[in-house]
Every structure is written in structure tokens, then in C-alpha cells.
Amino acid sequence: MVWTGTWVAERLGVELIGDEELPALLGLALRRNPKRAHLLVSSVLGKHVPQRPSVVYGSGLGLGRRVRELLGEEEAARSVVLGYAETATALGHAVADGLGLAPYLHSTRRPVAGVARAGGFEESHSHATSHLLLPEDTELLAGDGPLVLVDDEFSTGNTVLNTVRTLHERYPRKRYVVVALVDMRSAADLGRLDAFAEEIGARVDLVAGAAGTVRLPEGVLEKGQALVAEHETPTPAPLRPASRPAPVRIALDWPEGVPDGGRHGFTPEHRTRLEQALPALARRIGEQLGAPSAAAEEPGAPASPSAGEPREPRELPAGEPREPSAGEHREPAGARPGTPAPPPAAPRVLVLGFEELMYAPLRLGTALEDAGHDVSYSTTTRSPVLAVDDPGYAIRTRLVFPAHDDPAGGPGERYAYNVAGAGFDAVVAVVDSTADTPALHAPDGLLAQLSAHVPRVLLAVVPSHTPAPTPTHGPTAAPMPTHTPTASPYPSYDDRPPVTEAPERSSMLPEPLRGPAFSSYAPEEVGWLLQDLSDVELEAPTEEREEAIQSGGAHYAESLPVEYQPSPRYQELFHSALETSAARIARAVGTVTETVLAELPLRRGRRGRDPQGRRPVLVSLARAGTPVGVLMRRWAQARHGLDLPHYAVSIVRGRGIDANALRWLAAHHDPADVVFVDGWTGKGAITRELAEAIREFEAAEGVTGFDPEIAVLADPGSCVRTYGTREDFLIPSACLNSTVSGLISRTVLRADLVGPDDFHGGKFYRELAGADVSNDFLDAVAARFDEVAGSVDGDVKELLAADRTPTWEGWAAVERISEEYGIHDVNLVKPGVGETTRVLLRRVPWKILAKRGAGADLAHVRLLAEQRGVPVEEVDELPYSCVGLIHPQYTRGATGADGKAVVSQ
């Protein structure tokens, strides 16, 4: 029989090396992915490849029994099993069944209003996404018995390490067991588990069905991407079955109190009750399928196991099994064999599960097998994979249909593989009641797609289990908010190509990145709602970037400038400016923070929320706003004992704020508590950008409550109502780039790196740690808090009584300057000390306009202008201390006042 990895292996030179049963367990396919084009496709998981339910269940059951032998009966009885959504939910269930008495929980992408999170963790893939843990029993993970973690494939170990690290901090224990169908670690990753176990002081074992690795030749990623582009075809219009009967709904007498899956926990008692109900459930489905071809219990067969005991898959009889048809895969050598194949005349049935809902349909499938039906099993998925109709390729056919469970991450395509053309006579589609929506029954929905390819379609709906809401008061109150966003389409970027790859866990977003792993700030100071692009080369020479930006060939957020390395003289200016201005900044920090605290009830009332008893959630606009957000958090803690949440998000001119970051915030906090923070205003472009982006997001998502007003340290342009001062003075954090902002780059938004389920990107410049003054800046300002407290109280009293309506005089000045200097583009006019500094550090400056008599506040600006050969022109009647002008219509070589002289930095 042809190996289902042959097609990919021959074209890309990929080799599967390891245990001899690996080719029977794994095939290969291709997907669009910026980091890994090939995909390992399991033939015993029941996800992409239809397989006999007994084989799928037996694979997990056998692994669970091996874990029980490893732990011993006493420790096995104290263990908890945790599976990963979506691929390993049924596998984890089966492992728990094999252990016998272990309760089970799997991660989920589906948040539930009012249900507290017991934890969450990140999956470090190309589109890293996070998992929610929502057990109904909040004590499920709190014991000290072994934790058994189950996934289909163990490769780098990143997912497991993220999980264990997160849970160990909250629920420390002495032993962990990692379980996988295949151990595919590279030689470089083999020692990571042992090193990690030593680090946390616990034992970590690994149990796998088979082991090996994938050998990849040089350039395989680029070749794989080219191969996907060559063979990828547009999704065809849905077929309309002409004369087939409509899908038939089957009423299942699901056992009361038994969850539909393990996302909220599954106990041994649940397992017993489900086992007792399975024969009756199978008979109900069998009534619609027709009588099976063979009796459930043949003469001389072993007696059925007692209720509550997992069924042991029976051995195949001797003889050659029938040849599989298109899309179906032969039972692999080395896997636990299933029940006898019925005679060829028997109707071939596919039990099709739904994304995370894998265990309930799997057990219905095993019960139908036990009743003598010819059954295969697989589930739908979120993971888009290239389909190639070749015997040597693992994904032969693909059905595409819209999501039908109102996912929290918004609508999108879903897939069923190897169903069309596989020769099935009937499909039993099993969904939970949450997913039984009009979209499921729509003309382009899953049921219609199945009806176009399979003669009979049956729909079995399992009642969704929803835990009781978590108390909001008292000792068991949950720390998590109850606000859940409404699903809606993603915003589209004009240059973002259709995404054809996303892991099956992609609709949930990762937890914020924190120091010291990402940034030099302490982890409690700020959580970055960004994805880490530290390993990606994004820097380009300033002149090349400027030409590309102004010619329209690139957006400024698609690349990064080379980080400016300050000279000793410039560093002296920074420290001198910090010493001189620390008290002034501290006063502005205190003023804006106290104003925010005083006005939050008014903001909440304007947004239709209960105005009382809430604290602000600081959300700084990365990266200039981040040091200010940290300082505001420190002020609130020092003066009021408040521990305010603080996050940093990306906003890009012309593209808006990161919508995924807003989704994350809406899922974890009430939007009405969110206060956006920035360092300063220039002409107010970002102020307008944020307001428009919030309007679009709320209209699209149905989420309400975000207030688009920004709180800033300095508002010289008179663009906002909430500020520390309206003076345009030197804020030392504007003098430098990453070395005063936690070593984080400006944010990046590029279509090939940032997919629809990703946060915008950023880099952590660890190599610049020796020059980092981020915490020096924070500490110097915070040290002056007590000194300025009295002045702050007076400032806030005056501000709250004053008319702070924005006049936008800065914008008017910018428009005037743009016309007077023949620039005719306000985006090339950057007003204020902070923006002028950015022009000199990142762009190609033309000239600097300085307010006559501005003095020491502009010392660093004059030094940078001198170093770059840029003239400084003294002017009167300027509402800012200075304005930086980017060279209009720039081409390489057009630097300096005359547009011709080139002066190196």
C-alpha cells in the first residue's frame, strides 16, 4: 500500500525517520504557514482521516493503561488528565479511561460568560494561540497528584512547557506525565523536558505510542510554500443535491447530568453513566441507519464488559482486509485493531464529530461498531490544509463550510477532510446544541455540503453542558470578568492575502507577553498584547524605508528602522535631561492618573455601565505610551494601594488598533474600564485613528463600552481631555528608542507575519541590554512622586473644574506649516519634541522648526540635527517647542536642506 506521505516526500525531500510503524501512523500534507509548510497527519486520531472508532479509542486507551502502569494504582487514582483542544480532546478522554479513576479536563477555545478561568496557556506555533481552562469544579486542578497532559503529537515541547509552567505556578505538584501518540522531537529538543523538570523541581515523564523525527532539507519551507501556491484552488461554490432526502434529526436521550465533552470537566461517575447509556444511544441511531449486517455478539464471543468499564477493542479475524476507498485509510500496523469488518454489502457509515466535540461522537461510533455497523469516525476542524487527490497524499478531499457555533473569535471557514468521494452511504453528524444554529442548516452549511456528497445525512444533537455562573461575591468569587464579546467578521486589511493556514486552536488569543522573557520590564508592570517577532529580520536602512514609504511601495509598519545607538554625548544629554525633568514628569504622571481615577465613573456612565466600584484597566499604545502606563500604574499603587492591570497594544496609522487585542481585552475585562494611554499628542492623528478604529470595531463585533479617549502625559496639540499637562516639554523617554521602552521595538503589521488570529508583532532587543535605561527612567521619575504630591492635588482640582474641550490648535498649525513649506502632506509634519525626536531617529528629516527661545528642552534635538546635517530654523508663533519636517517626495540621496546633500549618521 502506498504511504500517504509519498507525494510530499518526493517533492520536498522530507524524510520520516524512527520506529517502523511511523508510516502507518502518520501521513504528510501541506498547508500555508510562514514557519512550517508540511503537516503530519495522524491516521489514528480521528481528526483529518476517517478511521474505525475502535482503533481511535483503542490508541488512547492503551496509552492510558501504560500511564497507569508507570504511576502505579495509588498514584493513578490521584491523577488528573488534561487534554488539548481541539485535536486531542477525545484522545485525552481515552487516556483518562485507560487510567480508570482519573477525572478529565480539556482546554477550550469557547469562553462561557460567568465561568471563571482556572488557568490558560499559550501554544507557541506560527499563529500562537491560547487555551482556556474552565472546569466547573474549581478544585479540579488544585490537588497534588500527578497531572497527565495529552496531545496528539509531541514535537518541540513548547506547548507542554507553557502549560506546566503556568499551572505549576498556581498548582504546584511533584509529578507530570506527558502523553502523545507520537514523539517527534528533534535531537536538539530531546533534553528540554529533563532540564525543565530540574528547573521546576518536579518529575516529568513521557509516554508515546511511537517515536521518530522529520528530516527537512534546506529550503523546504520555500519549496513547500511554492507547492501550496501551485496546487491551491479557489473554494468551489457549494453543490446543490438534486434529489437526496433532507437531513434527518435524531433525538438522543442523552444521560442527564453527563457533560457533552470535557471542557468543563468529566468525572469517573460521568464515565460510568455514559457507558451505561451507550447501547441505547446506538440503538436509537441504528433505527435510522437500518439493521446492521452482523450481530453485536457472535456465538462464542466474550461477554460484554460491565457498565462503566471501557470496552476493549476486539481483534480482527485472520484474512486480508478489504481495500479502502478514496479518502479512507487502512487500519495501521501497530495500532490496536478494531472490531471485525462487516460484509461488503453493509452500509458504510461515517460518524462525524465537531471540532472540540470529539469524545461523544467517538463513543457513539464505538457503540455502533459493537452493534455490528460498518463505521468510520472523524471530525470537522478549523485547520485549512491543501487537498490533493493522490493515494500518496494524506488529505485527498476537502469540504469547506462556514463556522456554525458563533465562535468568539469571529466567523470563518471550517473543513471536513476525506469525506467527499470516500464511498460513505450515510453520515451521522454529531454537534452540540450550541452549534445547532441556522448556519449549520444554511444552503452553504455543513449539512448541505455533506448531502451533496453522501446519500443520507443524519443529525444528532448532544445538549451543551454549561456550568452554573461563578459567584461574583464571597470567598469563591472568580477573579475573571463576565463580559464576553459577540462574534463578528474580522476587519480586512487591503493588502492582507487570504489566510489558508491556521492551527486548530487559532480563534483564542495568547496570554500577554511579559518580562523578562519579553521586555526588560518586570512581569507585573505590563503585559504586551503582541506576538514575538524577535527572530525575524525586519530592520532596513532609513533611506530605503523612507523611499519605499513615500513611493507607496510599503507601509511604515511593515519594517523597522535600524535601532539608533546613542553616542556618549547623546547619552549624557539623556541623563542630564532626566535629572532636570524627573519632577516635572512625575507631576504630570500624578495629574493624569488622578484625573483618570476621578473620572472613571463618569466614563463608565457615558458608556452605559454601572459607574461605581470599578478600577481602570490601563492600555498603553505601544511603544511610546508604555513607559507612561507603567508610571501611572506605579502612581496608583504608591498613592492608593491600587494594583491596576496594564497592557500594551499596537495601533498603526492608516490601519487602526489591533482588533485581536481589543477582542482579548473584551474577553478579560469590561471594555468600559479600559483607559487608553499614550505619551503625548502631536497633531492628534493617533487620537483620530483610535476613535475611528473603536467605532468600526464596536459596529463589527457588537461589543460596546470602549471609550476612545486617550489619556496622555502631555497634550501640546490640545487633542484630548485627559492629560497631565499641555506644555510641550522634553520627556526623556522620547529621546531614545527601545532602550527606554523595555527593549521593545515599534510594532509591526505585515501580512506575511501577522494573520487574522494574531496580535501585531514586536521585537525584543535582548542584545541591547547593556544600554538599557528603561528602568532607570521609571525609577528616577517614581522617586519624585512624594515630592510632587501636593502640586498634583492642586492641578487635578483645577483641571476637573476647567473646560478641557480639545481645540485641535495643533492640527491647524500642522496644516498651515504643510502648506507654507510646500509639503502638502500633514503626515510629513511631526509636531512636538517627541515627534521631532522620532523624525531624527527613524526617518529622513528635511529641516527642524524650533520655537524661538525653547532652550534646554531642545538640546538633544539640536545634537541629533547636527549629527544628521539637518538645519534648525528658529520661528515665532509656534504652538509647539519644535516641529520636525520629513523630506517631501524623498528619493535616496535627497537629504539635507537642499534635498541633494547626503550626510551619513
Side-chain angles (χ1 to χ4, degrees):
M1 183 177 176
V2 177
W3 174 45
T4 59
T6 304
W7 193 91
V8 174
E10 289 178 347
R11 287 160 177 78
L12 297 184
V14 175
E15 294 181 75
L16 194 64
I17 302 167
D19 295 346
E20 62 180 13
E21 62 264 38
L22 275 180
L25 296 174
L26 295 174
L28 292 174
L30 294 176
R31 56 185 178 177
R32 184 184 294 277
N33 186 304
K35 293 186 178 180
R36 190 178 74 173
H38 74 277
L39 176 71
L40 296 175
V41 180
S42 173
S43 58
V44 296
L45 184 64
K47 175 53 69 172
H48 305 85
V49 178
Q51 180 57 270
R52 293 199 177 282
S54 56
V55 173
V56 176
Y57 185 55
S59 298
L61 201 67
L63 289 170
R65 288 172 178 163
R66 287 177 56 188
V67 174
R68 187 169 67 191
E69 292 173 4
L70 173 70
L71 294 175
E73 295 295 330
E74 184 177 343
E75 285 295 279
R78 298 177 62 241
S79 64
V80 176
V81 180
L82 175 62
Y84 289 89
E86 76 181 28
T87 51
T89 57
L91 178 64
H93 260 290
V95 169
D97 289 354
L99 268 103
L101 296 176
Y104 175 66
L105 176 72
H106 71 69
S107 62
T108 179
R109 293 179 310 275
R110 186 187 288 176
V112 179
V115 178
R117 287 196 320 166
F121 44 90
E122 178 182 335
E123 182 183 17
S124 301
H125 285 187
S126 59
H127 297 284
T129 59
S130 77
H131 303 226
L132 300 176
L133 297 179
L134 305 175
E136 185 167 24
D137 177 3
T138 57
E139 297 299 309
L140 181 63
L141 294 170
D144 59 359
L147 180 63
V148 181
L149 304 101
V150 184
D151 209 351
D152 55 309
E153 173 192 334
F154 189 68
S155 51
T156 64
N158 288 336
T159 302
V160 168
L161 265 58
N162 284 332
T163 307
V164 174
R165 189 185 304 278
T166 300
L167 294 179
H168 193 75
E169 291 175 357
R170 188 168 182 179
Y171 311 109
R173 60 189 76 230
K174 297 179 181 179
R175 191 165 189 182
Y176 297 87
V177 181
V178 181
V179 181
L181 288 173
V182 289
D183 173 8
M184 300 302 290
R185 287 176 294 173
S186 67
D189 290 321
L190 287 176
R192 293 184 67 194
L193 269 187
D194 291 339
F196 179 72
E198 184 175 353
E199 174 190 335
I200 65 172
R203 177 175 172 178
V204 183
D205 295 293
L206 174 64
V207 174
T213 190
V214 180
R215 181 176 295 168
L216 303 174
E218 184 118 6
V220 67
L221 176 59
E222 293 76 14
K223 291 178 183 177
Q225 291 171 336
L227 206 55
V228 170
E230 177 185 350
H231 290 272
E232 206 165 38
T233 58
T235 301
L239 296 176
R240 300 287 189 266
S243 58
R244 288 181 178 170
V248 175
R249 179 186 293 269
I250 306 173
L252 291 181
D253 189 15
W254 192 258
E256 186 177 354
V258 175
D260 54 312
R263 64 170 59 92
H264 303 304
F266 200 89
T267 67
E269 180 184 354
H270 292 145
R271 187 176 300 125
T272 299
R273 296 187 61 199
L274 179 59
E275 287 287 340
Q276 292 171 338
L278 279 174
L281 291 170
R283 281 195 300 272
R284 181 71 188 91
I285 297 174
E287 291 170 2
Q288 294 294 329
L289 293 174
S293 62
E297 301 293 348
E298 298 175 358
S304 298
S306 60
E309 181 182 346
R311 293 181 178 272
E312 180 74 30
R314 290 177 289 176
E315 297 294 329
L316 279 174
E320 180 66 21
R322 60 178 171 77
E323 184 67 19
S325 56
E328 183 189 5
H329 292 255
R330 190 191 298 274
E331 192 166 286
R336 294 194 63 90
T339 55
R348 297 190 57 236
V349 179
L350 174 68
V351 175
L352 183 68
F354 156 63
E355 298 185 27
E356 289 179 14
L357 187 70
M358 295 184 70
Y359 184 68
L362 174 61
R363 297 315 316 279
L364 290 172
T366 58
L368 286 169
E369 255 189 305
D370 287 342
H373 291 274
D374 182 0
V375 185
S376 295
Y377 159 81
S378 65
T379 71
T380 64
T381 175
R382 295 170 172 243
S383 180
V385 185
L386 178 69
V388 177
D389 191 12
D390 186 285
Y393 188 81
I395 303 296
R396 302 285 295 276
T397 62
R398 179 173 81 165
L399 297 182
V400 184
F401 53 93
H404 53 90
D405 63 335
D406 293 329
E413 290 184 343
R414 301 295 185 261
Y415 310 92
Y417 295 110
N418 295 324
V419 176
F424 293 116
D425 300 300
V427 172
V428 181
V430 183
V431 303
D432 58 18
S433 54
T434 300
D436 185 19
T437 63
L440 175 67
H441 301 266
D444 61 345
L446 171 61
L447 297 181
Q449 289 281 57
L450 293 173
S451 294
H453 294 277
V454 181
R456 298 182 62 203
V457 176
L458 310 178
L459 174 64
V461 180
V462 178
S464 298
H465 178 73
T466 302
T470 308
T472 56
H473 302 285
T476 61
M480 302 304 298
T482 61
H483 181 80
T484 302
T486 302
S488 74
Y490 288 105
S492 59
Y493 299 141
D494 53 2
D495 59 349
R496 187 159 69 190
V499 174
T500 58
E501 190 283 332
E504 290 156 333
R505 302 163 196 156
S506 65
S507 71
M508 292 307 300
L509 293 159
E511 291 299 294
L513 301 174
R514 296 183 183 273
F518 188 83
S519 88
S520 59
Y521 292 134
E524 66 275 8
E525 300 264 42
V526 60
W528 301 83
L529 295 177
L530 298 175
Q531 64 163 315
D532 189 353
L533 298 180
S534 300
D535 296 332
V536 182
E537 189 67 37
L538 293 167
E539 291 75 13
T542 301
E543 288 76 13
E544 290 182 13
R545 293 184 73 248
E546 193 65 49
E547 183 175 22
I549 292 168
Q550 291 202 31
S551 68
H555 190 278
Y556 77 88
E558 294 175 347
S559 63
L560 293 173
V562 177
E563 280 287 301
Y564 171 71
Q565 298 302 304
S567 64
R569 183 181 170 193
Y570 191 86
Q571 290 180 16
E572 290 176 10
L573 275 176
F574 168 80
H575 288 288
S576 174
L578 178 57
E579 183 177 348
T580 303
S581 62
R584 193 176 183 183
I585 296 169
R587 183 172 176 177
V589 167
T591 300
V592 70
T593 308
E594 294 293 344
T595 302
V596 165
L597 293 173
E599 292 199 324
L600 181 65
L602 298 178
R603 292 165 62 106
R604 289 183 58 81
R606 289 200 306 270
R607 307 300 288 179
R609 259 52 170 192
D610 177 3
Q612 301 303 321
R614 302 302 288 265
R615 295 181 297 174
V617 175
L618 303 178
V619 177
S620 57
L621 304 181
R623 72 186 165 183
T626 308
V628 178
V630 174
L631 285 169
M632 291 176 67
R633 184 181 182 279
R634 288 191 179 189
W635 178 278
Q637 198 166 41
R639 291 295 304 277
H640 303 286
L642 296 176
D643 189 12
L644 301 184
H646 176 216
Y647 308 99
V649 304
S650 169
I651 188 169
V652 176
R653 179 173 51 79
R655 305 286 180 82
I657 197 167
D658 186 343
N660 282 320
L662 293 183
R663 290 187 184 96
W664 191 95
L665 290 167
H668 293 77
H669 301 280
D670 188 325
D673 293 334
V674 169
V675 177
F676 294 102
V677 174
D678 207 355
W680 55 85
T681 62
K683 55 182 173 286
I686 290 298
T687 306
R688 295 185 176 190
E689 186 84 39
L690 178 63
E692 181 61 26
I694 293 295
R695 277 195 296 271
E696 291 180 359
F697 176 83
E698 292 195 343
E701 297 287 323
V703 176
T704 61
F706 284 113
D707 192 326
E709 183 171 317
I710 306 176
V712 299
L713 198 63
D715 179 35
S718 187
C719 307
V720 299
R721 294 185 70 262
T722 308
Y723 52 84
T725 179
R726 274 184 169 159
E727 297 179 9
D728 183 23
F729 70 97
L730 171 62
I731 301 172
S733 60
C735 293
L736 301 171
N737 283 331
S738 67
T739 52
V740 78
S741 302
L743 297 181
I744 301 302
S745 73
R746 204 213 58 239
T747 59
V748 175
L749 178 57
R750 206 170 81 189
D752 60 330
L753 298 173
V754 179
D757 299 314
D758 295 331
F759 293 137
H760 293 185
K763 296 187 70 168
F764 177 24
Y765 291 113
R766 298 172 178 84
E767 65 276 15
L768 300 182
D772 186 24
V773 293
S774 304
N775 288 291
D776 294 342
F777 170 70
L778 298 174
D779 293 343
V781 175
R784 312 299 282 272
F785 283 170
D786 290 341
E787 174 187 328
V788 302
S791 300
V792 166
D793 292 340
D795 292 344
V796 172
K797 185 176 180 180
E798 290 182 11
L799 279 175
L800 293 177
D803 180 5
R804 290 172 282 139
T805 304
T807 65
W808 295 91
E809 63 176 297
W811 189 279
V814 165
E815 289 181 326
R816 174 177 55 79
I817 291 168
S818 175
E819 296 306 311
E820 284 182 3
Y821 283 84
I823 296 173
H824 309 300
D825 184 353
V826 293
N827 289 324
L828 300 182
V829 180
K830 303 294 185 181
V833 177
E835 294 303 305
T836 301
T837 304
R838 287 178 169 185
V839 169
L840 290 163
L841 291 178
R842 305 182 195 170
R843 305 294 293 270
V844 175
W846 182 30
K847 59 181 67 177
I848 305 300
L849 308 182
K851 186 175 183 177
R852 202 178 305 279
D857 276 342
L858 300 188
H860 77 290
V861 169
R862 297 180 189 279
L863 175 60
L864 285 173
E866 175 188 326
Q867 291 176 342
R868 297 203 64 179
V870 178
V872 178
E873 182 179 322
E874 303 280 344
V875 297
D876 296 312
E877 298 181 358
L878 199 63
Y880 302 92
S881 296
C882 60
V883 175
L885 304 182
I886 297 172
H887 202 289
Q889 298 178 344
Y890 174 77
T891 56
R892 261 174 281 181
T895 310
D898 60 0
K900 297 177 182 177
V902 177
V903 180
S904 61
Q905 295 188 47

